[in-house]
Amino acid sequence: MSTFQRRDFLTGAAAFAAATTTLGVSGRVAAGDPSFSNNVPDPLLASKDLPTFKFALEKSKGKVIGKSFGKEATVTQLPISKGIAGVSMQIEPGAMRELHWHATAAEWAFVDKGRVRTTVIDPQGYSETNDFEPGDVWYFPRGHGHMLECLGNEPCHFVLIFDNGYFSEFGTFSISDWIGHTPKPLLAKNFGIPESAFDGFPKKEVYFARGSLPPEKPVTPLQGKKEPPKTHKWRLLAQPPIVDNKGGRLYLVDSSNFSISKTITGAILDLEPEALRELHWHPSADEWQYALEGKVSVTLFGSGGRYRTETLEKGDVGYIPQGYGHSLENVGDKSCRILIGFNSGIYETIDLSQWIAGNPTDVLATNFGRPAALFEKFPRKDIFLADKDGK
């Protein structure tokens, strides 16, 4: 995709953001700048040295039941990640992540391996069932009830992103936990059926429920079909990348094309060996990174001369606070792939090459104390992705 096409995408996204802010539905905070939710200074980021922004997610223990597991990265595991939490989850054939909801976070997911079926219900009673393959994503708004089920004979693996760094996957509201701790007379009165109907129900949270393989085609819900006006599914890697050059590719989805995803933007960044996602920052979102393949060096600039570099390998997580300068560079000998999530429904970025190109040469000469002629050699447009030769 050309620079002009990419700019058209970002311009459309910015227009959408302006419209939703005017209407008061951006959803991040109730007052002030809706793109900025960290108005209280963070002591962790105000210290002399920048803290670590890396966590080895896949090396953590997590919760394991049979051959299914959930591993999480919240502020408990990675204190810098106050704005976003993430989970790596595998579900074995015949198992499901039981019916549940999240009281304090929306859920966005990228399917890495295998096939997944989800069913979600919203406050209007609309229910949608979707089947997902590798490269697909889903989004469930905060508080919407849902389940996640492995399809077929192979395990499925997906990465979940939540728009709240304090959210814990192990603090969700599960249906077995609720029903198991509710008196039978109350349940009987609620459903209008005999108390005996609840004999044999689990007494505590199941978390991963295990049974027979699901049917290849979804069964119609008890209420019949009542599908929502907006789908919860997006085929991210089935779409063309918004950036595609010798350095790599960027696949991106936000609310400008996946309209239900109001609070999370997701991306897949592919970098060729020695390629660089140039120095840049995001004005309106924190960034959460998960290394799917390869080895990537991530730099973080925090003002006042503070600078930190971490190397992410497969299964590691990185986190960049809103507005902090950073870059990503493939330091391996093979292509690398990074899953990236932002806690904003609109994608915004300012790249260093773009910033330089947006200023007159006399301004640059004065700023850096160098001859104006030097800056005639600088790029005249946004680089975004640079290959191993810096082009």
Side-chain angles (χ1 to χ4, degrees):
M1 175 173 280
S2 70
T3 300
F4 292 110
Q5 288 174 307
R6 187 175 75 83
R7 286 299 172 206
D8 287 344
F9 179 93
L10 297 179
T11 300
F16 184 89
T20 54
T21 300
T22 302
L23 293 172
V25 295
S26 57
R28 291 208 58 191
V29 290
D33 181 353
S35 72
F36 190 68
S37 60
N38 303 317
N39 293 303
V40 179
D42 184 352
L44 190 66
L45 292 173
S47 60
K48 181 180 178 181
D49 298 313
L50 290 173
T52 182
F53 57 89
K54 171 185 172 180
F55 175 64
L57 177 59
E58 294 299 352
K59 292 181 181 179
S60 64
K61 183 177 180 180
K63 177 178 287 190
V64 180
I65 300 176
K67 295 182 180 179
S68 300
F69 65 75
K71 303 175 182 181
E72 69 177 5
T74 73
V75 290
T76 299
Q77 294 80 20
L78 185 60
I80 193 176
S81 63
K82 292 179 170 63
I84 303 174
V87 170
S88 169
M89 185 169 288
Q90 174 176 291
I91 302 180
E92 63 186 300
M96 72 168 64
R97 175 67 179 90
E98 68 162 305
L99 293 160
H100 64 282
W101 78 95
H102 309 298
T104 60
E107 174 179 311
W108 187 100
F110 174 82
V111 178
D112 177 35
K113 297 176 182 177
R115 296 189 297 136
V116 188
R117 175 171 292 161
T118 72
T119 296
V120 58
I121 192 165
D122 67 16
Q124 288 72 45
Y126 291 110
S127 173
E128 184 180 32
T129 296
N130 284 309
D131 291 350
F132 296 81
E133 298 178 355
D136 295 345
V137 306
W138 68 72
Y139 177 87
F140 302 143
R142 182 181 62 189
H144 290 202
H146 56 281
M147 72 86 191
L148 318 170
E149 184 176 29
C150 180
L151 287 179
N153 297 310
E154 299 294 329
C156 62
H157 176 252
F158 46 88
V159 181
L160 303 166
I161 296 174
F162 300 94
D163 57 0
N164 178 354
Y166 292 85
F167 168 79
S168 172
E169 166 65 17
F170 310 132
T172 56
F173 290 76
S174 298
I175 196 169
S176 62
D177 188 25
W178 194 9
I179 289 181
H181 289 88
T182 300
K184 285 186 179 180
L186 181 55
L187 291 170
K189 186 175 183 179
N190 187 88
F191 291 102
I193 57 178
E195 293 181 27
S196 60
F198 298 95
D199 292 345
F201 271 55
K203 298 297 184 183
K204 60 181 181 180
E205 183 183 44
V206 172
Y207 195 80
F208 287 124
R210 288 183 285 178
S212 58
L213 293 177
E216 192 60 30
K217 292 185 177 180
V219 177
T220 303
L222 285 173
Q223 70 174 4
K225 285 192 175 183
K226 188 180 178 183
E227 297 183 347
K230 293 183 179 180
T231 183
H232 298 80
K233 175 181 178 179
W234 182 261
R235 308 210 66 203
L236 178 57
L237 293 188
Q239 313 300 317
I242 68 165
V243 177
D244 189 356
N245 61 31
K246 292 181 179 180
R249 292 154 299 283
L250 177 71
Y251 301 84
L252 186 137
V253 57
D254 70 0
S255 60
S256 66
N257 48 9
F258 186 30
S259 61
I260 198 170
S261 188
K262 289 288 192 291
T263 65
I264 299 176
T265 290
I268 290 291
L269 176 65
D270 291 336
L271 289 175
E272 297 303 321
E274 300 182 50
L276 173 72
R277 170 63 180 101
E278 72 158 304
L279 297 157
H280 65 285
W281 76 93
H282 303 289
S284 58
D286 305 300
E287 176 176 322
W288 189 89
Q289 305 155 345
Y290 176 91
L292 287 162
E293 296 290 344
K295 189 175 181 180
V296 60
S297 175
V298 183
T299 66
L300 177 65
F301 170 64
S303 77
R306 297 177 305 158
Y307 205 82
R308 188 181 183 105
T309 300
E310 304 270 18
T311 299
L312 306 185
E313 298 189 58
K314 185 176 180 178
D316 291 343
V317 164
Y319 184 86
I320 308 296
Q322 178 177 324
Y324 279 53
H326 58 287
S327 64
L328 297 92
E329 182 181 13
N330 185 346
V331 292
D333 56 4
K334 298 179 180 179
S335 297
C336 69
R337 168 165 283 187
I338 306 100
L339 170 65
I340 301 175
F342 305 93
N343 53 352
S344 171
I346 292 296
Y347 178 71
E348 293 183 327
T349 183
I350 298 177
D351 299 341
L352 186 54
S353 63
Q354 177 189 23
W355 193 15
I356 294 290
N359 280 277
T361 54
D362 65 298
V363 171
L364 297 170
T366 300
N367 191 97
F368 293 104
R370 304 296 294 160
L374 171 65
F375 298 98
E376 294 289 347
K377 302 176 182 179
F378 276 63
R380 296 174 182 268
K381 62 181 181 179
D382 185 7
I383 297 296
F384 198 86
L385 289 180
D387 64 17
K388 63 181 181 179
D389 298 318
K391 298 179 180 179

